[in-house]
Amino acid sequence: MDAVATLDGAVDDDVTHTTTGAPPHRYDARLARRLETKWQDYWEDHRTFWVPNPSGPLSGGFAEVADRPKLYVLDMFPYPSGAGLHVGHPLGYIGTDVYARFQRMAGRNVLHAMGYDAFGLPAEQYALQTGQHPRVTTEQNIANMRRQLRALGLGHDPRRGVATTDLHYYRWTQWIFLQIFNRWYDDDADRARPIAELIDQFESGARAPAGPANPEGRTWRDLDERAQRRVVDAWRLAYREMAPVNWSPALGTVLANEEVNAEGRSERGNHPVYRRPLEQWMLRITKYADRLLADLDLLTWPEPIKVMQRNWIGRSTGASIRFPVTSRDEVIEVFTTRPDTVFGATYLVLAPEHPLVDVLAPEAWAGPQAGEPDVPASWWGGADAVGRPRTAVGRYREEVSRCTELERQAEDREKTGVFIGAYARNPVNGALLPIFAADYVLMGYGTGAIMAVPGEDQRDWDFATALGLPILRTVQPPASFDGEAYTGDGPAINSGFLDGLAIADAKQRVIEWLEAHDAGAGATTYKLRDWLFSRQRYWGEPFPIVYGDDGLPRALPDSMLPVELPELDEFEPRVDGGADAPPEPPLARAEQWVEVTLDLGDGPQRYQRETNTMPQWAGSCWYYLRYLDPTNETHLVDPAVDRYWMTGEAGGGVDLYVGGVEHAVLHLLYARFWHKILFDLGYVSTEEPFHRLFNQGTIEATAFRDTRGFYVEASTVEEREGGFWLDGEPVTREFGKMGKSLRNAVSPDDIYRDYGADTLRLYEMFMGPLDASRPWSTADIIGMHRFLQRVWRNVVDEESGAVRVADAPADVETRRLLHRAIAAVRDDMTQLKFNTAIARLTELNNRLTQVVADGGAAPREIVEPLVLMLAPLTPHLAEELWSRLGHPESLAYMPFPEADAAELVDATVEIVVQVDGKARGRLQVPAAASDGDLEAAARAEPRVAALLADRTVRRVVVVPGRLVNFVLG
RNA sequence: GGGCGAGUGGCGGAAUUGGCAGACGCGCAGGAUUCAGGUUCCUGUGUCCGCAAGGACAUGGGGGUUCAAGUCCCCCCUCGCCCACCA
């Protein structure tokens, strides 16, 4: 494990940036570290950042803050990595801390806490590497991270810092799963409802027990008890399904689609991923697709993030159209966004794994029937498959499965496919359409089948061209347009029904026709898939589910929670069998735990526990609710406490949520989904969990590669002769996100040691706007350190340590500068523009430095507000100065300075005088000067007068308070 | 291929939203303090011409709107991120 940043027992001798001959009371790293430790201890001892709830066990002290508006500031749940922090990690944490401290001083009751997302794959893998139990390494890592964050001086309420691995926490994660399991989605009411109400509807006959578990469409009474339970299970929001899943042998688990990258490898570790069928837990997030989409409008989120979520949900509207097959009593249902082009369909395509392919493809093709054209050899995909669709399809599937994902998605890849020996009829005109299996149609989207319209779809065009299929345009392209599909608008042609209509009208007309003739209907489809929710891992939440002899899942009652994760000596996934071996969850090895005798209402019986565990996303889906009420044993969160902290602007939710853009889709979509379920069930009061989202940028740094292309430790590289060298070998410089993989991490420990935490905080906030990525430059830190040194020196005598401030009033100019700074800093802090806030404070302090250099002492009237304004940014230094200025209490709750409006109004203003738009002079004029006075004063300015002499002024533009512009003829 | 975002001094970045481009900091130069060094202090610092006063040119490139453009519009270039056969 890396060295831990600790300020306890600071060793002064190793402080490199402390000058031996410097004055004894200079603000340097040694002094900074000493007072940082002092104030961190003070805040802890005085419970400075304990924030009260309106009721319940954490409500002590609420009466004093009851009149303050609440503010909930949240950081994305950190994962306690074994490698420790680098300076890129705390950027967002510092930002929220500055904001929270500012708002606390500005009169808000601020909730800010930090917990740990401690289950999951990396913990398990780290434990495997170090040969220790994940519980041990996780606890060590959390302790390490707590220490590193404490050293930053973050003002968190320590009572609320839950970890997902706490039994008291994951008990509630399991409880939420049970809530989901025991609900179904009522499309009519558009909300989740108790499963008992579904059963009532089945029993009363109000609703048919339809679904995949009842393919024959029997009535409820015709089903035996087991069949009834299977029907109900298939309606639940948490259901099991045999599904093709992303199986990673190297990780020993199944991954969600979202965790697999475009190359078909795992996001985590870049291991190969294989598709294989497996019975899995799924959460029916697709039922919430419309609400997840629509409610984005309630949120104050960065627009790109909303766009990503919209794209991920991928709502498309169009029509489903039914094409009857000629050879059998089957119908192929397709989804299209362009129903208007149905007259241009010249063939149909099924995804290779579409179940109808097996049904429709005969062993031997009977040859062309009446009205059918002959079939070219190229349609069969090989000479030996001519006339034998089943052979052709079988071989085609084999070819497709051999392709890697990368090959499959290659852009210029030629379209392939085979004829399955069957035809369908176009419902609108009776045209005979050959049916193909081709992998450019995906089983996972729409119905897994399309009508191909090569005239108006480029993919269909490519396929039609490759296999010699006819192309018919049904939208008139521009005159010169040729050689590709036309997707633009234009009048419909070649239909005899829609001709002349624009696309939108034609679509509507076709949908009406389809619905009237029972051949299809308007339809909506989504890219979003249901959430694959089980993992074959050890280090996760066990499901509160057992199986009886019938093999069907049974929910445990709340009274049997938590289902504790059993101790296991061996928790590695079994990968011996390779990619084809069935994955075996590690928990299956805990036989004593798996086999249980329980009374679930019908007497003690033998059951087997579910051995999958939940994905890491589960714990991070609701932690922000537990921060509110971390010790509640009877409720997930007390309703009154939830209402107090979560009620806010439209949709409600956390007031400010700061985190990385990498969670734009997965975490933020899953958490919204769970929140909406909890809302439907009445456990939370708001539609949305996070009202305002802010993405902090990443910290980047130079990285270096050696001649073999491997990254080398950046801190060991030397620069000379215009090049970069390591051990005499040349290395090449790159630039990228700071981290382990590029070997360019800078530890905060080093920065604390050389400058102190306040300087690190200040530097990270000064580097640029919080939402921009910025390059780390250790050399630049000194600027912020100097600034703090000057602030200190302006208040504290470096030789004696005595405070030296003047109680006499400040001069007029300095006071005006102060009030302008206050107004600007307040504004900047509200908008998270800390970089410009710091610039304003620097200006103010530079002014103080002038005053001191001119032989005066810094006026208390200026110093105290300056210290208060610095407090959110550099709290240790500010507390120390505040205390030395004679204030016995922490400034954490001191009112933030307010600008005096009178001081912001200028008696005179400087205006610019332009001639032909070029600045030629400037004037001090009374702020209230009239336009005429301004023009007259401007004309009188000597330089301007000279330029205007003998010239015709064609026009005069006067902008009060800004400028006068003379436009010459 | 599609979508979104960004290009400002040697560097990180400001710019009241159309009104003095370069705040603040780094770096650099000169000076002070120091035996010395700088992690201290002061002064200067967009580029070019000029001793100076001053002038010209400057916000990726080109065009446009405007009294006035880093900011608005059109075209192009470069970089970054996201999605990617989604019918």
Side-chain angles (χ1 to χ4, degrees), chain A residues 95-116:
Chain A
T96 51
D97 187 54
V98 175
Y99 185 71
R101 283 175 180 272
F102 165 70
Q103 293 288 6
R104 208 174 274 127
M105 296 174 76
R108 312 287 290 266
N109 188 31
V110 178
L111 173 53
H112 196 200
M114 177 79 78
Y116 297 91

Short mmCIF file of all heavy atoms in Angstrom, two decimals, chain A residues 95-116:
data_model
loop_
_atom_site.label_atom_id
_atom_site.label_comp_id
_atom_site.label_asym_id
_atom_site.label_seq_id
_atom_site.Cartn_x
_atom_site.Cartn_y
_atom_site.Cartn_z
N GLY A 95 -14.07 21.07 -4.41
CA GLY A 95 -15.08 21.99 -4.94
C GLY A 95 -16.35 21.99 -4.11
O GLY A 95 -16.88 23.05 -3.76
N THR A 96 -16.85 20.80 -3.77
CA THR A 96 -18.08 20.76 -2.97
C THR A 96 -17.83 21.27 -1.56
O THR A 96 -18.72 21.88 -0.96
CB THR A 96 -18.65 19.32 -2.87
OG1 THR A 96 -17.60 18.45 -2.45
CG2 THR A 96 -19.20 18.86 -4.21
N ASP A 97 -16.63 21.04 -1.05
CA ASP A 97 -16.34 21.52 0.30
C ASP A 97 -16.32 23.04 0.33
O ASP A 97 -16.87 23.66 1.24
CB ASP A 97 -15.00 20.96 0.79
CG ASP A 97 -14.76 21.30 2.25
OD1 ASP A 97 -15.63 20.98 3.07
OD2 ASP A 97 -13.71 21.89 2.56
N VAL A 98 -15.71 23.65 -0.68
CA VAL A 98 -15.68 25.11 -0.75
C VAL A 98 -17.11 25.64 -0.85
O VAL A 98 -17.50 26.57 -0.13
CB VAL A 98 -14.84 25.59 -1.96
CG1 VAL A 98 -14.91 27.11 -2.09
CG2 VAL A 98 -13.38 25.15 -1.81
N TYR A 99 -17.88 25.02 -1.72
CA TYR A 99 -19.26 25.45 -1.91
C TYR A 99 -20.08 25.29 -0.63
O TYR A 99 -20.82 26.18 -0.22
CB TYR A 99 -19.88 24.65 -3.05
CG TYR A 99 -21.28 25.08 -3.43
CD1 TYR A 99 -21.49 26.28 -4.09
CD2 TYR A 99 -22.39 24.30 -3.13
CE1 TYR A 99 -22.76 26.69 -4.45
CE2 TYR A 99 -23.66 24.69 -3.49
CZ TYR A 99 -23.85 25.89 -4.15
OH TYR A 99 -25.11 26.28 -4.50
N ALA A 100 -19.93 24.12 0.00
CA ALA A 100 -20.69 23.84 1.22
C ALA A 100 -20.29 24.80 2.34
O ALA A 100 -21.15 25.33 3.05
CB ALA A 100 -20.46 22.39 1.66
N ARG A 101 -19.00 25.07 2.47
CA ARG A 101 -18.54 25.99 3.51
C ARG A 101 -19.06 27.41 3.23
O ARG A 101 -19.46 28.12 4.15
CB ARG A 101 -17.01 26.00 3.58
CG ARG A 101 -16.42 24.77 4.28
CD ARG A 101 -14.91 24.79 4.19
NE ARG A 101 -14.27 23.65 4.84
CZ ARG A 101 -13.92 23.60 6.12
NH1 ARG A 101 -14.13 24.65 6.89
NH2 ARG A 101 -13.37 22.52 6.63
N PHE A 102 -19.03 27.77 1.95
CA PHE A 102 -19.55 29.10 1.58
C PHE A 102 -21.03 29.20 1.94
O PHE A 102 -21.47 30.17 2.57
CB PHE A 102 -19.33 29.35 0.09
CG PHE A 102 -20.14 30.51 -0.43
CD1 PHE A 102 -19.83 31.81 -0.06
CD2 PHE A 102 -21.22 30.30 -1.27
CE1 PHE A 102 -20.58 32.89 -0.53
CE2 PHE A 102 -21.98 31.36 -1.74
CZ PHE A 102 -21.66 32.66 -1.37
N GLN A 103 -21.81 28.21 1.54
CA GLN A 103 -23.25 28.27 1.77
C GLN A 103 -23.59 28.21 3.26
O GLN A 103 -24.58 28.79 3.70
CB GLN A 103 -23.96 27.15 1.02
CG GLN A 103 -23.90 27.30 -0.50
CD GLN A 103 -24.77 28.43 -1.02
OE1 GLN A 103 -25.36 29.20 -0.26
NE2 GLN A 103 -24.84 28.55 -2.34
N ARG A 104 -22.75 27.49 4.01
CA ARG A 104 -22.95 27.43 5.46
C ARG A 104 -22.81 28.83 6.04
O ARG A 104 -23.61 29.28 6.86
CB ARG A 104 -21.89 26.49 6.06
CG ARG A 104 -22.29 25.79 7.31
CD ARG A 104 -21.20 24.79 7.70
NE ARG A 104 -21.38 23.51 7.04
CZ ARG A 104 -20.43 22.89 6.34
NH1 ARG A 104 -19.23 23.42 6.20
NH2 ARG A 104 -20.67 21.72 5.79
N MET A 105 -21.78 29.55 5.57
CA MET A 105 -21.57 30.93 6.05
C MET A 105 -22.63 31.88 5.50
O MET A 105 -22.92 32.91 6.10
CB MET A 105 -20.16 31.40 5.65
CG MET A 105 -19.05 30.60 6.32
SD MET A 105 -17.40 31.05 5.71
CE MET A 105 -17.13 32.60 6.54
N ALA A 106 -23.17 31.50 4.35
CA ALA A 106 -24.19 32.36 3.73
C ALA A 106 -25.57 32.07 4.30
O ALA A 106 -26.57 32.58 3.78
CB ALA A 106 -24.18 32.17 2.21
N GLY A 107 -25.63 31.20 5.32
CA GLY A 107 -26.89 31.07 6.04
C GLY A 107 -27.71 29.83 5.74
O GLY A 107 -28.87 29.74 6.14
N ARG A 108 -27.12 28.86 5.04
CA ARG A 108 -27.88 27.65 4.77
C ARG A 108 -27.55 26.57 5.80
O ARG A 108 -26.46 26.55 6.36
CB ARG A 108 -27.53 27.10 3.37
CG ARG A 108 -27.55 28.14 2.26
CD ARG A 108 -28.95 28.58 1.90
NE ARG A 108 -29.70 27.54 1.23
CZ ARG A 108 -29.78 27.41 -0.10
NH1 ARG A 108 -29.13 28.26 -0.87
NH2 ARG A 108 -30.50 26.46 -0.65
N ASN A 109 -28.50 25.68 6.02
CA ASN A 109 -28.24 24.48 6.81
C ASN A 109 -27.76 23.42 5.82
O ASN A 109 -28.54 22.89 5.04
CB ASN A 109 -29.52 24.02 7.51
CG ASN A 109 -29.26 22.89 8.50
OD1 ASN A 109 -28.17 22.83 9.08
ND2 ASN A 109 -30.22 22.00 8.66
N VAL A 110 -26.45 23.15 5.84
CA VAL A 110 -25.83 22.40 4.75
C VAL A 110 -25.52 20.96 5.17
O VAL A 110 -24.84 20.74 6.18
CB VAL A 110 -24.52 23.08 4.30
CG1 VAL A 110 -23.85 22.26 3.20
CG2 VAL A 110 -24.79 24.50 3.83
N LEU A 111 -26.03 20.03 4.40
CA LEU A 111 -25.68 18.62 4.59
C LEU A 111 -24.59 18.24 3.62
O LEU A 111 -24.74 18.38 2.40
CB LEU A 111 -26.92 17.74 4.36
CG LEU A 111 -26.69 16.22 4.36
CD1 LEU A 111 -25.97 15.77 5.62
CD2 LEU A 111 -28.00 15.48 4.24
N HIS A 112 -23.46 17.79 4.16
CA HIS A 112 -22.36 17.34 3.32
C HIS A 112 -21.69 16.19 4.03
O HIS A 112 -21.25 16.33 5.17
CB HIS A 112 -21.35 18.49 3.08
CG HIS A 112 -20.41 18.22 1.95
ND1 HIS A 112 -19.21 18.86 1.80
CD2 HIS A 112 -20.50 17.37 0.90
CE1 HIS A 112 -18.61 18.44 0.70
NE2 HIS A 112 -19.37 17.53 0.14
N ALA A 113 -21.65 15.05 3.36
CA ALA A 113 -21.08 13.86 3.99
C ALA A 113 -20.40 13.03 2.93
O ALA A 113 -20.55 13.28 1.74
CB ALA A 113 -22.18 13.04 4.67
N MET A 114 -19.63 12.04 3.37
CA MET A 114 -18.89 11.22 2.42
C MET A 114 -18.87 9.78 2.92
O MET A 114 -18.40 9.50 4.01
CB MET A 114 -17.46 11.76 2.31
CG MET A 114 -16.55 10.97 1.41
SD MET A 114 -16.81 11.32 -0.34
CE MET A 114 -15.94 12.87 -0.48
N GLY A 115 -19.39 8.89 2.09
CA GLY A 115 -19.34 7.47 2.42
C GLY A 115 -18.51 6.71 1.40
O GLY A 115 -17.81 7.32 0.59
N TYR A 116 -18.66 5.40 1.40
CA TYR A 116 -17.77 4.58 0.57
C TYR A 116 -18.53 3.48 -0.16
O TYR A 116 -19.29 2.72 0.45
CB TYR A 116 -16.65 3.99 1.43
CG TYR A 116 -15.82 5.10 1.99
CD1 TYR A 116 -16.12 5.66 3.23
CD2 TYR A 116 -14.80 5.64 1.25
CE1 TYR A 116 -15.40 6.74 3.72
CE2 TYR A 116 -14.06 6.72 1.72
CZ TYR A 116 -14.36 7.26 2.95
OH TYR A 116 -13.66 8.32 3.42
#
